[in-house]
Amino acid sequence: MPSGLVALALGGFGIGLTEFLIAGLLPQVASSFAVSEAAAGWLISGYALSVAVGAIALTAATARLPRKAVLVGLVALFVVGNLLSALAPSYPVMLLGRIVAALCHGSFFGIGSLVARSLVAPEKKSRAVAVMFAGLTLANVLGVPFGALVGERWGWRAAFWAVTAIGVLALAGIAALVPDGAGETRSPTATVTGQSDPAPAHGLRAQFRAFRSWQVWLTLTATALSYGGMFGAFSYIAYTFTEVGGFSPTDVAWLLMVYGVGLVVGNLVGGRAADRDRDRALVLALLGLAVTLAVFGLLAGSATASVVLVFLMGLFGFASVPGMITRVTDFAHGAALAASANVSASNIGNALGAWLGGLAITAGLGYTAPLYVGAGIVLISVIVMAVAARQAKSPAQHAEHCM
């Protein structure tokens, strides 16, 4: 495994950690700044909105710059944002720090995925993306308990100091270990292996030209729907556990850890499967998620079934991520803006899924309703992906892909 991939994974871990740890620190932060918990909640929602905006804006603004230099700059922005949060004398400054840190999120994973795939042979590109995203999935497992533990022992500021230090290490690692020019040219192993890898698109006009591809839009739609279905259910999973499954509130933390382990396993397995037969792997992963959510709704009253199904929910939910990213960038001919748009699509899907799940609960359909709503949304994603896979086999689409 190229050492540059390890540095990218460390950057992904730090960015994921700052996204998730705040959930375990909200009561302390609200008390420290004498604001309501609802106001403190903007430290989460404001971050998510900034991710969606920053993914497109920063990627477009840096379209002509060397990708390694852009990654270094993005991680530096991440360090500055967390430093602001650690030192914040007031709530507005704290919120500003969260926004600054979030701006780099989407672009880092978008551009980083292109750099990651350029470090390996084309037939291993999805696995390389999975390695980079392994940092994010580990952060999902460790983020909330890490924030809660560090915050309780040394205060909430210590948690942000720790993330700042991780950011500095990632910055040094990317600067030292990612080769100069990574992600700038067509993979030199493409001609040796007989597989094609897109030559990166440079310049803002070339970046936007990638969105002329119908396959790009189908992949972005499938991404948004798959995330929307999974996180629509996940947003209310604590209520499902306690109100339907009979778990105590203290059980929720370890159940979420089980879900996080599923994310890690799904990410790595999905990357390998996508390198063998990407479209087939994507359809099966999405179908597995839809079935898991539907069965979860039926068996949520069983404690044993809930443990197994929440693991499978994480596994199938993230198994599609590496393949979706390599798919969208292949059909976008290496355009970083398309890769970052995939991150924005996932965040839009998260918001849509959580909103629809909340509507179902408000309508009095119970705490299993978000699971069924999520299954329905993901089923639409399966259809979209199946249509995309079928069209990709047509001569016209094949010619477009090879251009």
Side-chain angles (χ1 to χ4, degrees), residues 140-141 144 234 237-238 241 251-263 310:
N140 197 301
V141 177
V144 175
F234 179 74
I237 200 69
F241 286 141
D251 289 326
V252 173
W254 69 262
L255 287 166
L256 293 182
M257 292 279 284
V258 172
Y259 168 78
V261 172
L263 293 179
V310 78

Side-chain angles (χ1 to χ4, degrees), residues 337-402:
L337 192 60
S340 296
N342 202 67
V343 180
S344 291
S346 67
N347 279 270
I348 292 169
N350 292 353
L352 175 66
W355 176 64
L356 291 175
L359 284 181
I361 292 174
T362 303
L365 299 178
Y367 289 115
T368 59
L371 291 164
Y372 293 120
V373 171
I377 296 173
V378 177
L379 189 58
I380 299 173
S381 180
V382 174
I383 296 170
V384 171
M385 192 64 245
V387 169
R390 184 185 180 94
Q391 289 193 355
K393 293 179 180 179
S394 70
Q397 286 288 342
H398 183 71
E400 174 193 321
H401 178 43
C402 295

Side-chain angles (χ1 to χ4, degrees), residues 131 133 145 184 239 247 256 286 295 320:
V131 169
F133 271 84
E184 300 297 323
Y239 295 105
F247 290 98
L256 293 182
L286 295 174
V295 174
S320 64

